[in-house]
Amino acid sequence: MGAIRALVSAPERRWSAEQLASEVSLSPSQLRRLFIEHAGTTPFRYLRELRAQRMLDLLATGNFTVAEAAREVGWRDASHASRAFRSIYGHAPSTHLLKRADRGRTE
């Protein structure tokens, strides 16, 4: 689906329903209906999960703070990003920083 490709290619973009629908030549309501039908979720839930996964990947590199990773994937507010991350993974993104620090001490 073209909307998924658009979100995957630019998750950091500040998407509106109208912009995303325009990308695939649909109305916002048509986009939502078709997105749920094909992806099993709404476009913005999909985007939230995509950003959280990318944030997790960035934190795993050891090169980003939580705030930096949040901004990199498109969240402007680190607190909002942390809440979204926690709602998806069940723990705060900062736990990945602690795990990274622990690995560094044992290596």
Side-chain angles (χ1 to χ4, degrees):
M1 173 176 226
I4 290 175
R5 277 193 301 277
L7 293 174
V8 168
S9 69
E12 71 287 347
R13 185 172 166 186
R14 296 195 73 167
W15 290 101
S16 71
E18 292 76 19
Q19 289 169 330
L20 186 56
S22 176
E23 288 280 326
V24 292
S25 302
L26 294 171
S27 72
S29 60
Q30 287 174 309
L31 170 65
R32 181 180 166 83
R33 182 181 56 76
L34 289 171
F35 204 100
I36 290 170
E37 185 179 307
H38 291 278
T41 190
T42 67
F44 292 101
R45 281 194 187 129
Y46 182 90
L47 178 60
R48 190 174 107 202
E49 291 173 9
L50 177 64
R51 284 178 173 171
Q53 177 59 56
R54 293 224 174 147
M55 189 173 168
L56 178 62
D57 294 343
L58 291 174
L59 292 171
T61 69
N63 298 322
F64 293 85
T65 66
V66 170
E68 291 167 341
R71 279 192 304 275
E72 187 74 19
V73 302
W75 278 312
R76 304 300 184 255
D77 178 52
S79 295
H80 176 78
S82 291
R83 285 190 304 276
F85 189 98
R86 182 185 300 269
S87 75
I88 292 166
Y89 291 110
H91 59 272
S94 59
T95 61
H96 292 277
L97 298 175
L98 298 174
K99 288 177 186 173
R100 183 184 72 220
D102 290 342
R103 275 197 312 265
R105 280 192 287 254
T106 61
E107 292 176 353

